């Protein structure tokens, strides 16, 4: 059973065993090492027990029994765990130290502030003054410092293919250093239970080449392109939605996710039953019940035609 | 009374049964006997296990397919929260306590636990608390913040309904029961072993339970305190965990895991005790390395209090501390490995046989060792950063808890089944039950490690299809249903055996310990006479023991005085010191628990007037209970004993009550230390903690209030000295005088509190001070009441030079109360201006 699953691979967009950066890579190695060693220990101990149950040797006298007991207890009960612990700590403490600092990279890390809301992630790039919602874009081979902020409950920031997680705690700012070693799309998810929307607190991580990242940053400074047929929709958006949502060059709301690149974002909570994502129009018509509380009062005020226009326009906002 | 004729044994039994027997009908609510109470704990725990298991089935059904929407997230969150809460608080701990309550007196050669009414009270608290907690599920308003209730998610802002209150109040109520069982077990083990059973002769199971009980005494109070603080925050707005008010949500995590980690060993130790009891019996030789195992038990107990931070490696704890707690967490592998290899050596040296209990023991070994090894992995900090809060952790703790608790428990149930029922289990159904459970368990949880490594966080009610989690989740769900079938088979076997099992002969497994000398099922008094036990293997050394006990050849053979008696003995050597006379059946524990349940419900429904009334009612029942002691007509008005026997404990200076008070104060002290920890933690760590410009309490006035308290203590101490040397004069008046001093102290304390400019809703500083003052007032008030009652009892003739025992117990309370007062003075009033960093 185990092997059948292993055969299907350790892959997956959120698999800790398919590392895309040195932090996760080291942890994956630690795992495989411990897995191999501890499997041996488990087989050894269980095997010894089964053998001891089966074995029909003459009963030992008191002295033999005591000698044997002490041998088992000192060998298996003290030396074996002590040795294992020593080896583990000798590997684990330097590994932890390395992961925390990634010292082989002398460049200054890129700072990103992750704001955990209920239930979505906002990312802010202080150096370039960029904001994104549920979407973290980072350059490859560059150390990144993610600072976690929240003003509500405890969350945890976690991109398994890059490294471990860090809790995002009200009143504190915790930091985690990460680095990606290949380009591509990864998945991150809130790991600390934060209420009804916890399962949907997913974000996309896009690792770009350094060149592409620069371009992306530059593009983020420009207003979104609005094709002429959508100008009306954009105005309506500004009126009804702009207080909460930001779309570059259109509105500056900060209570909900930035929608400047909504079309490119894979919104997992839109597709609970259907395999393919709902269109934005479908979503607005029947919002996911978990998220209905916030947008619905406004939605009722917009006439259906306008709403559909807004949705169609949003579909064009490619990153 | 020492004829060997069977008729004589029958007559003997009838006489004992008149004093010890259990009433039927409604009067069954008054039973205090440990055999009955122990069975009630186990059966009730079994019912909660089935409820918790059904919730687990719901979880696995929901997660079987991606995007499954059988449960809404609101309901799913309630279901997994209650699954954890029920399994930990309403199943595992109470069932283990039930085992201990049932077995301990029988193993140490006593007729009952030392505080039988406390066992009954504990059971009713557990039952009523469990019903209150579970009822929330039926009303769909169950707690939904996870079984460790992290705040701020569980706070009034983010969990506005009554769910969190159900958890905080219900669990605290149930924990009263755990702590009272803990106190009672410690004192019973230390003070009521039969003649000559020294510490070195105690069966290993008793050592395990002693460690478990002590760990309950120290480990549960931090959570009780945490729950009280969180409930105060929710109900009264005191910001202990709210950053804006100077609190810190991480304090909750510390308090919770200060309890939570020892809790794991509180569950594992008795389970390991069952294994250490069963293996030698089926190997026909003593456990290998008795001393090693005892050492391992004690070490586990100590280390387990130094590991709690390993649940918090991702909250941003300093890295040096992480390394320390990582190493400490791994160290616990050593005492565990010692036990595993002692069991191995026992098997190696002996001639083991495969009976049903042994099958479960083997299943335990495989699963528990695997779970222990993943535990060592998790203690490695970088690995924990990755898999913390994923299904890997869920798999790990199910390996440890199901493997380390349920499998040994099943081994124990099968082993002691003939003891409970007098009948033997059915072998082939038992085997089916075992293999289905074992296979189902492994299918569910081995694969779940992979699910976690593939990145699936815990506590999500659904997941997308394209993440590689579908197959492993489906396998887990199928496995869980196989496991459920196994549990059903075991249940069927156990139920059927009561009707169809063939009757057990005495000592059917050929065991070595005293519990197998009772009749099967046992009588309420266990042993007609109490045998000496200067050995670890009384039944192997003397197979005739059963008959000599029944025929009255041993101690405490008289019953015509109508008292329930058992030996009080030296804690180390087991030399007999006094006769302990135990109370009989009583309504008071039941009524006390019902009144406490009333308190719990009125707090839940925020009817605070009713809460005050219920609290007073409950206090009244408890005080009435304490009234019927000593030389009271319902206890032991007449102190005559058989010539040559030692005196009754109420006529001595240090009976079990003194031990009971001391152990209770250890638990109480653990609670107070947690409060001090909270104070210093918030002071040094909370991000927005602030001291007021000027302390709301004047140091001089506070110290002044302590003077009558300290004088009262000194006065009490001189009374004790005179009582011991039998030179007391005017005892009643003196006790009234002490009460008066206490009252003056209490009044000045209340005045100080009322006049102090405390704003407990604005600042965590004032909130903590408020709790400290209330804690102090509660203790001072109880000291006054207890002393006044002593004065009345001296006046009535229940206490005095002939029965000097109770004042010694009350004196402990004064010592504690005074100590706490001056500690508060130092920590809250003297230290801040000296170290004030503001």
């Amino acid at each position: 059973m185990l092997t059948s699953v292993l055969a299907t691979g350790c892959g997956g967009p959120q698999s800790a065993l398919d590392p895309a950066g040195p932090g996760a890579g080291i942890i994956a190695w630690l795992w495989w090492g411990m897995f191999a060693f501890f499997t041996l220990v488990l087989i050894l101990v269980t095997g010894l027990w089964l053998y001891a149950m089966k074995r029909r040797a003459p009963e030992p006298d008191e002295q033999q029994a005591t000698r044997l007991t002490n041998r088992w207890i000192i060998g298996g009960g003290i030396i074996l765990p002590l040795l294992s612990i020593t080896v583990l700590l000798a590997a684990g403490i330097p590994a932890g130290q390395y992961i925390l600092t990634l010292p082989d990279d002398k460049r200054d890390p890129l700072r990103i502030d992750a704001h955990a809301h209920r239930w979505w992630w906002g990312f802010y790039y202080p150096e370039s003054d960029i904001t994104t919602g549920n979407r973290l874009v980072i350059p490859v081979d560059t150390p990144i410092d993610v600072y976690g902020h929240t003003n509500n409950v405890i969350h945890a920031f976690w991109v398994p293919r890059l490294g471990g997680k860090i809790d995002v705690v009200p009143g504190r700012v915790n930091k985690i250093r990460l680095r990606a070693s290949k380009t591509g799309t990864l998945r991150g998810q809130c790991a600390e239970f934060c209420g009804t929307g916890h399962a949907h607190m997913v974000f996309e991580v896009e690792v770009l080449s350094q060149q592409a990242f620069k371009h992306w940053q530059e593009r983020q400074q420009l207003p979104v392109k609005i094709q002429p047929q959508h100008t009306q929709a954009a105005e309506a958006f500004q009126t009804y939605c702009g207080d909460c949502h930001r779309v570059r060059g259109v509105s500056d709301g900060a209570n909900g996710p930035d929608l400047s690149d909504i079309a490119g974002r894979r919104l997992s909570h839109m597709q609970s039953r259907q395999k393919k994502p709902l269109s934005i129009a479908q979503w607005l018509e029947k919002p996911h019940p978990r998220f209905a509380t916030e947008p619905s009062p406004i939605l009722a005020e917009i006439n259906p035609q306008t709403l559909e226009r807004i949705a169609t326009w949003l579909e064009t906002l490619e990153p | 009374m020492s004829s060997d004729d069977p008729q004589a044994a029958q007559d003997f039994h009838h006489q004992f049964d008149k004093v010890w027997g259990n009433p039927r009908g409604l009067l069954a609510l008054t039973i205090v006997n440990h055999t009955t109470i122990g069975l009630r704990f186990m059966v009730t725990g079994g019912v909660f296990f089935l409820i918790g298991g059904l919730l687990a089935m719901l979880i696995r059904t929901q997660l079987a397919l991606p995007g499954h929407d059988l449960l809404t997230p609101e309901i799913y969150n309630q279901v997994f929260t209650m699954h954890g809460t029920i399994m930990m608080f309403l199943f595992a701990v109470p069932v283990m306590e039930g085992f201990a309550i049932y077995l301990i007196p029988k193993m140490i050669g006593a007729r009952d636990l030392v505080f039988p009414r406390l066992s009954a009270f504990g059971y009713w608290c557990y039952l009523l608390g469990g019903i209150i907690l579970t009822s929330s599920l039926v009303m769909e308003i169950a707690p939904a913040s996870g079984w460790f209730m992290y705040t701020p998610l569980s706070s009034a802002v983010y969990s506005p309904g009554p769910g969190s209150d159900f958890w905080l109040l219900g669990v605290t109520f149930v924990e009263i029961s755990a702590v009272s069982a803990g106190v009672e077990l410690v004192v019973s083990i230390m003070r009521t072993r039969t003649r000559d059973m020294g510490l070195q002769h105690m069966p290993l199971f008793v050592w395990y339970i002693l460690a478990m009980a002590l760990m309950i005494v120290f480990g549960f109070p931090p959570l009780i305190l945490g729950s009280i603080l969180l409930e105060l925050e929710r109900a009264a707005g005191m910001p202990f965990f709210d950053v804006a008010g100077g609190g810190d949500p991480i304090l909750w995590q510390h308090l919770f895991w200060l309890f939570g980690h020892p809790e794991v060993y509180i569950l594992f130790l008795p389970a390991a005790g069952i294994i250490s009891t069963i293996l030698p019996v089926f190997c026909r030789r003593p456990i290998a390395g008795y001393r090693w195992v005892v050492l391992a038990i004690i070490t586990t107990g100590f280390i387990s209090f130094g590991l709690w931070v390993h649940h918090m490696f991702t909250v941003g704890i300093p890295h040096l501390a992480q390394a320390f707690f990582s190493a400490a967490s791994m160290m616990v592998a050593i005492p565990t490995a010692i036990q595993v290899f002692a069991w191995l050596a026992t098997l190696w040296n002996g001639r083991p046989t495969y009976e049903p209990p042994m099958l479960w023991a083997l299943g335990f070994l495989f699963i528990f060792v695997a779970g222990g090894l993943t535990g060592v992995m998790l203690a490695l900090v970088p690995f924990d950063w990755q898999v913390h809060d994923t299904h890997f952790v869920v798999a790990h703790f199910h390996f440890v808890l199901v493997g380390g608790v349920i499998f040994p428990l099943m081994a124990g149930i099968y082993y002691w089944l003939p003891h409970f029922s007098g009948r033997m289990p059915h072998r082939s159904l038992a085997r089916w039950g075992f293999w289905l459970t074992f296979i189902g368990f492994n299918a569910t949880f081995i694969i779940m490690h992979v699910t976690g490594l593939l990145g699936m966080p815990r506590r999500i009610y659904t997941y997308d299809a394209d993440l590689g989690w579908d197959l492993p989740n489906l396998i887990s769900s199928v496995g869980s249903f196989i496991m459920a079938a196994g549990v059903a088979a075991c249940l069927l076997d156990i139920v059927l055996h009561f009707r169809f099992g063939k009757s057990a002969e005495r000592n059917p497994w050929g065991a070595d310990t005293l519990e197998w000398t009772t009749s099967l099922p046992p009588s309420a008094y266990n042993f007609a006479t109490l045998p000496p036990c200067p050995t670890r293997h009384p039944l192997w050394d003397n197979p005739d023991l059963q008959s000599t006990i029944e025929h009255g050849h041993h101690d405490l053979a008289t019953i015509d005085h109508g008292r329930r008696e058992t030996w009080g003995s030296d804690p180390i050597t087991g030399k007999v010191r006094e006769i302990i006379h135990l109370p009989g059946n009583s309504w008071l524990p039941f009524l006390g628990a019902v009144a406490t349940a009333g308190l719990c419900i009125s707090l839940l429904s925020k009817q605070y007037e009713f809460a005050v009334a219920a609290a007073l009612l409950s206090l009244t029942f408890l005080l009435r209970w304490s009234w019927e002691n000593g030389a009271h007509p319902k206890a032991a008005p007449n102190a005559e004993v058989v010539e040559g026997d030692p005196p009754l404990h109420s006529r001595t200076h240090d009976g079990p009550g003194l031990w009971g008070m001391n152990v209770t104060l250890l638990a109480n002290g653990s609670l107070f230390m947690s409060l001090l920890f909270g104070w210093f933690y918030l002071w040094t760590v909370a991000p927005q903690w602030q001291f007021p410009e000027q302390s709301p309490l004047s140091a001089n006035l506070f110290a002044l209030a302590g003077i009558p308290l300290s004088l009262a203590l000194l006065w009490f101490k001189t009374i004790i000295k005179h009582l011991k040397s039998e030179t007391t004069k005017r005892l009643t008046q003196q006790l009234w005088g002490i009460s008066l001093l206490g009252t003056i102290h209490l009044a000045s304390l209340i005045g100080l509190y009322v006049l102090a400019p405390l704003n407990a809703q604005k600042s965590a500083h004032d909130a903590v001070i408020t709790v400290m003052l209330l804690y102090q007032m509660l203790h001072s008030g109880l000291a006054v009441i207890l002393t006044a009652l002593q004065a009345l009892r001296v006046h009535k003739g229940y206490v005095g030079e002939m029965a000097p025992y109770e004042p010694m117990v009350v004196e402990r309370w004064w010592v504690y109360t005074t100590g706490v007062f001056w500690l508060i003075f130092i920590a809250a009033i003297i230290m801040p201006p000296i170290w004030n960093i503001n």
Side-chain angles (χ1 to χ4, degrees):
Chain A
M1 185 181 66
L2 188 65
T3 46
S4 76
V5 170
L6 288 179
T8 63
C10 309
Q14 208 165 306
S15 169
L17 300 181
D18 184 10
I26 286 180
I27 295 173
W29 273 110
L30 283 176
W31 153 252
W32 287 115
M34 292 193 293
F35 175 64
F37 177 64
F38 285 148
T39 307
L40 268 179
V41 173
L42 180 63
I43 292 172
L44 179 84
V45 174
T46 319
L48 279 173
W49 259 53
L50 288 173
Y51 177 70
M53 299 264 317
K54 284 258 156 37
R55 154 193 130 94
R56 283 287 171 267
E59 214 163 315
D61 63 40
E62 274 317 299
Q63 220 183 343
Q64 281 173 312
T66 314
R67 208 167 46 225
L68 215 116
T69 302
N70 286 337
R71 208 177 287 164
W72 278 126
I73 290 181
I74 293 170
I78 298 178
I79 296 176
L80 174 71
L82 258 185
L83 273 181
S84 318
I85 293 170
T86 313
V87 173
L88 270 182
L89 288 178
I93 291 181
Q97 211 52 38
Y98 174 81
I99 293 169
L100 283 173
T101 51
L102 301 176
D104 53 340
D105 203 318
K106 304 286 183 232
R107 279 171 302 171
D108 284 339
L110 171 70
R111 175 178 175 135
I112 298 172
D113 290 289
H115 293 270
H117 304 275
R118 300 180 92 199
W119 288 274
W120 61 280
W121 293 91
F123 298 104
Y124 179 66
Y125 298 68
E127 287 158 35
S128 46
D129 192 27
I130 295 172
T131 308
T132 63
N134 278 340
R135 180 174 152 83
L136 178 63
V137 180
I138 56 172
V140 75
D141 288 330
T142 308
I144 314 285
D145 276 350
V146 178
Y147 290 79
H149 309 259
T150 177
N151 57 6
N152 48 84
V153 303
I154 302 176
H155 304 267
F157 173 90
W158 186 38
V159 184
R161 294 187 60 196
L162 292 184
K165 57 183 72 68
I166 187 78
D167 288 359
V168 181
V169 186
R172 287 198 162 92
V173 180
N174 285 331
K175 185 196 87 172
I176 188 166
R177 180 163 298 180
L178 299 170
R179 195 170 77 212
S181 53
K182 46 184 155 187
T183 56
T185 307
L186 320 172
R187 193 175 189 264
Q189 188 163 11
C190 174
E192 179 66 56
F193 178 59
C194 54
T196 42
H198 174 54
H200 301 297
M201 212 169 143
V202 175
F203 58 99
E204 195 175 68
V205 182
E206 190 148 355
V207 186
L208 301 176
S209 72
Q210 300 191 5
Q211 196 60 34
F213 181 72
K214 247 187 215 137
H215 285 309
W216 176 79
Q217 273 185 316
E218 282 159 14
R219 261 197 328 249
Q220 295 306 303
Q221 310 298 337
L222 308 172
V224 294
K225 283 204 187 90
I226 306 173
Q227 287 147 327
Q229 69 267 35
H230 292 307
T231 28
Q232 252 188 325
E235 276 161 21
F237 179 88
Q238 194 181 20
T239 316
Y240 293 112
C241 321
D243 282 353
C244 290
H245 295 284
R246 174 170 180 252
V247 168
R248 280 192 325 275
V250 178
S251 63
D252 270 325
N255 293 333
D258 186 326
L259 300 179
S260 309
D261 56 358
I262 174 91
R265 213 177 292 155
R266 195 177 49 87
L267 292 167
S268 70
H269 50 262
M270 287 189 178
Q271 50 172 13
S272 69
R273 261 170 139 176
Q274 292 80 358
K275 290 278 178 200
K276 63 172 193 223
L278 299 169
S279 73
I280 293 175
Q282 284 170 311
W283 159 262
L284 288 176
E285 188 185 334
K286 190 169 183 279
H288 194 286
R290 242 42 76 205
F291 300 86
T293 47
E294 286 177 41
S296 60
I298 309 278
L299 287 177
E301 293 173 20
I302 314 176
N303 79 49
Q305 236 178 347
T306 315
L307 197 60
E308 194 166 338
R309 276 200 211 122
I310 292 176
T312 319
W313 170 59
L314 288 175
E315 298 277 6
T316 67
L317 296 181
E318 297 282 351
Chain B
M1 198 54 77
S2 40
S3 144
D4 284 340
D5 152 36
Q7 185 57 40
Q10 270 300 317
D11 293 347
F12 205 43
H13 168 71
H14 284 307
Q15 291 174 26
F16 267 85
D17 208 38
K18 256 186 232 153
V19 175
W20 284 87
N22 286 333
R24 289 170 178 280
L26 204 57
L27 283 176
L29 297 177
T30 66
I31 295 175
V32 297
N33 183 265
H34 78 105
T35 300
T36 311
I37 301 290
L39 287 173
R40 282 179 183 170
F41 262 104
M42 286 187 260
V43 171
T44 313
V47 172
F48 281 119
F49 173 73
L50 295 179
I51 298 175
L54 283 176
L55 296 177
M57 298 289 92
L58 282 177
I59 296 174
R60 278 319 325 165
T61 312
Q62 168 79 2
L63 293 182
L65 301 170
H68 207 193
D69 53 4
L70 173 78
L71 304 177
T72 63
E74 288 81 4
I75 296 295
Y76 183 84
N77 295 347
Q78 294 183 17
V79 166
F80 78 71
T81 300
M82 285 302 284
H83 168 69
T85 304
I86 288 180
M87 287 304 194
M88 295 301 270
F89 294 104
L90 302 184
F91 159 65
V93 176
V95 166
M96 284 305 177
E97 282 167 3
F99 254 86
I101 288 171
Y102 181 93
L103 286 171
I104 287 297
K106 299 182 179 76
M107 282 190 164
I108 60 176
R111 286 185 180 137
D112 204 336
L113 285 171
V114 68
F115 308 124
R117 290 179 297 192
L118 191 61
S119 346
F121 180 68
Y123 174 73
W124 296 117
C125 284
Y126 158 53
L127 178 70
L128 296 172
I131 291 175
I132 291 174
L133 195 50
T134 321
S135 68
S136 68
L137 200 57
V138 184
M139 299 183 277
E140 292 192 9
I141 47 170
S145 324
W147 82 277
F148 36 78
M149 290 291 285
Y150 275 7
T151 179
L153 185 58
S154 57
S155 69
V157 179
Y158 297 101
S159 295
S164 299
D165 304 314
F166 269 100
W167 194 97
L168 295 167
L169 295 166
V171 165
T172 302
F173 193 21
V174 171
E175 298 213 321
I176 298 174
S177 135
V179 174
S180 57
V183 171
E184 166 155 69
L185 287 166
V186 172
V187 182
S188 295
I189 293 171
M190 295 311 285
R191 290 291 270 112
T192 68
R193 300 195 303 270
T194 191
R195 186 188 289 280
D196 294 339
M197 185 186 272
L199 279 181
Q200 74 277 20
H201 302 130
M202 291 199 317
L204 273 180
F205 186 78
V206 181
W207 274 108
Y208 279 102
I209 295 299
L210 179 60
M212 169 194 92
L214 278 169
M215 288 173 69
I216 289 179
V217 165
F218 288 105
F220 276 48
L223 179 60
I224 296 181
L225 177 81
S227 303
I228 293 173
L229 297 187
L230 186 50
E231 187 54 37
L232 281 174
E233 179 177 296
R234 287 179 56 87
M238 295 159 89
F240 302 102
F241 308 107
D242 179 11
V243 178
D248 188 355
I250 303 299
L251 173 61
W252 169 265
Q253 300 191 12
H254 280 291
L255 290 175
F256 187 89
W257 292 115
L258 256 171
F259 144 83
H261 203 79
E263 158 88 347
V264 176
Y265 293 91
I266 285 169
L267 296 177
F268 170 64
L269 282 179
I274 292 173
I275 300 293
S276 292
T277 307
I278 292 176
L279 282 187
V281 172
F282 291 107
C283 291
R284 306 267 164 270
R285 58 177 301 131
I287 185 96
Y290 177 92
R291 279 166 209 215
W292 281 109
V293 177
V294 171
L295 195 68
I297 298 169
I298 297 171
T299 321
T300 309
F302 276 103
I303 298 182
S304 71
F305 281 91
L307 312 181
W308 80 94
V309 171
H310 74 210
H311 296 267
M312 302 164 62
F313 282 154
T314 64
V315 299
I317 302 274
H319 299 131
L320 188 66
Q322 293 195 21
F324 170 80
F325 281 101
S326 164
S329 307
M330 292 183 183
M331 287 302 161
V332 88
I334 296 175
T336 312
I338 288 178
Q339 292 169 71
V340 168
F341 280 88
W343 296 327
L344 176 68
T346 311
L347 287 174
W348 199 274
N349 291 338
R351 298 278 178 82
T353 53
Y354 277 102
E355 300 286 346
M358 282 298 268
L359 265 184
W360 289 97
L362 260 179
F364 150 78
L365 179 89
F366 173 77
I367 297 177
F368 178 72
V369 171
L373 292 172
T374 55
V376 177
M377 293 182 186
L378 284 168
L380 197 70
V381 178
F383 184 65
D384 185 76
W385 290 334
Q386 188 64 287
V387 293
H388 173 73
D389 268 334
T390 68
H391 272 71
F392 187 94
V393 172
V394 180
H396 157 72
F397 66 70
H398 280 88
F399 260 75
V400 190
L401 289 172
V402 178
V405 177
I406 293 184
F407 274 67
L409 203 61
M410 288 305 295
I413 288 175
Y414 272 109
Y415 177 71
W416 280 294
L417 210 48
H419 206 287
F420 303 149
S421 67
R423 291 173 187 273
M424 302 298 282
H426 187 273
R427 237 180 235 193
S428 88
L429 198 53
R431 270 164 206 273
W432 270 99
F434 168 77
W435 283 110
L436 283 172
T437 312
F438 183 77
I439 292 168
F441 173 83
N442 284 297
T444 310
F445 291 103
I446 287 182
I447 196 72
M448 202 180 279
H449 294 97
V450 180
T451 321
L453 287 167
L454 291 179
M456 181 163 168
R458 66 196 284 200
R459 299 176 166 180
I460 56 174
Y461 76 100
T462 192
Y463 54 93
D464 292 347
D466 49 1
L467 301 168
W469 304 343
D470 310 12
L471 183 63
N473 270 300
L474 187 62
I475 294 173
S476 285
S477 295
V478 172
S480 72
F481 280 86
I482 300 176
M483 185 177 167
V487 172
C490 295
L491 195 68
L492 189 68
D493 183 28
I494 291 169
V495 170
L496 286 182
H497 110 286
F498 276 96
R499 180 80 178 75
F500 301 108
K502 70 175 187 335
S503 28
E505 43 186 296
R506 282 206 156 180
N507 195 4
W509 313 114
D512 56 337
T513 40
L514 278 178
E515 82 272 22
W516 293 102
T517 62
T518 68
S519 54
L520 299 183
S523 59
Y525 52 86
N526 296 337
F527 311 99
T529 54
L530 300 181
C533 186
T535 162
R536 276 178 214 159
H537 314 288
L539 262 173
W540 285 351
D541 292 355
N542 178 7
D544 289 336
L545 204 53
Q546 293 161 344
S547 122
T548 55
I549 287 173
E550 273 179 14
H551 288 97
H553 291 295
H554 302 289
D555 300 338
L556 293 180
T558 48
I559 190 72
D560 47 7
H561 44 62
R563 290 192 294 260
R564 298 185 173 190
E565 292 181 342
T566 195
W567 277 140
S569 50
D570 184 87
I572 311 281
T573 62
K575 295 273 173 275
V576 163
R577 290 206 330 209
E578 68 270 276
I579 295 174
I580 295 175
H581 53 91
L582 300 167
N585 298 332
S586 160
W587 279 104
L588 291 168
F590 177 73
L591 294 175
V594 169
T596 317
L599 170 65
C600 187
I601 293 171
S602 33
L603 287 176
L604 266 176
S605 47
K606 308 204 184 293
Q607 303 293 322
Y608 296 115
E609 300 83 8
F610 284 105
V612 173
L616 289 177
L617 190 64
S618 152
L619 184 69
T620 313
F621 285 128
L622 298 185
L623 290 176
R624 175 67 206 178
W625 159 353
S626 78
W627 188 255
E628 294 175 4
N629 271 328
H632 186 275
K634 281 200 178 169
N638 168 350
E640 274 174 37
V641 293
V642 177
E643 198 165 319
D645 273 354
L648 295 183
H649 80 268
S650 51
R651 273 68 177 176
T652 66
H653 294 154
D654 71 335
L658 190 65
W659 280 71
M661 179 56 94
N662 283 337
V663 180
T664 309
L665 289 178
L666 287 179
N668 197 348
S670 168
L671 185 109
F672 180 66
M673 283 299 143
S674 307
L675 182 60
L676 281 186
F677 169 80
W679 167 256
F680 288 115
Y681 179 88
L682 291 179
W683 173 351
T684 50
V685 181
Q688 298 180 28
W689 171 269
Q690 271 194 331
F691 281 104
E693 294 284 310
Q694 191 168 5
S695 171
L697 293 175
S698 139
N700 293 337
L701 289 178
F702 193 85
L704 214 58
I707 292 175
L709 176 65
S710 306
L711 286 178
L713 173 65
L714 291 177
W715 195 351
F716 212 115
K717 282 195 170 288
T718 58
I719 290 188
I720 299 298
K721 206 187 294 167
H722 288 298
L723 266 176
K724 280 187 178 157
S725 58
E726 299 186 12
T727 53
T728 36
K729 285 193 196 101
R730 297 164 169 267
L731 189 52
T732 317
Q733 286 85 342
Q734 293 202 56
L735 285 166
W736 281 122
I738 292 172
S739 284
L740 184 67
L741 271 182
T743 313
I744 295 171
H745 151 76
L746 182 61
S748 40
L749 203 59
I750 294 176
L752 206 60
Y753 170 66
V754 174
L755 296 178
L758 288 166
N759 192 344
Q761 291 174 332
K762 272 272 154 55
S763 103
H765 171 274
D766 287 8
V768 180
I769 299 257
T770 304
V771 171
M772 284 179 174
L773 286 177
L774 291 175
Y775 181 83
Q776 180 64 42
M777 286 185 234
L778 182 71
H779 282 73
S780 305
L782 269 175
V784 169
I785 293 175
L786 292 178
T787 311
L789 283 174
Q790 282 300 306
L792 278 177
R793 290 173 70 73
V794 174
H795 181 68
K796 287 258 183 192
Y798 304 155
V799 169
E801 264 175 18
M802 49 70 201
Y805 166 69
E806 291 173 22
M808 322 259 167
V809 180
V810 175
E811 187 243 3
R812 300 279 95 198
W813 190 265
W814 281 97
V815 172
Y816 181 83
T817 303
T818 315
V820 162
F821 180 88
W822 292 112
L823 273 177
I824 293 177
F825 181 65
I826 294 171
I829 296 179
I830 298 295
M831 283 173 76
I834 299 178
W835 278 282
N836 195 347
I837 10 185
N838 279 356

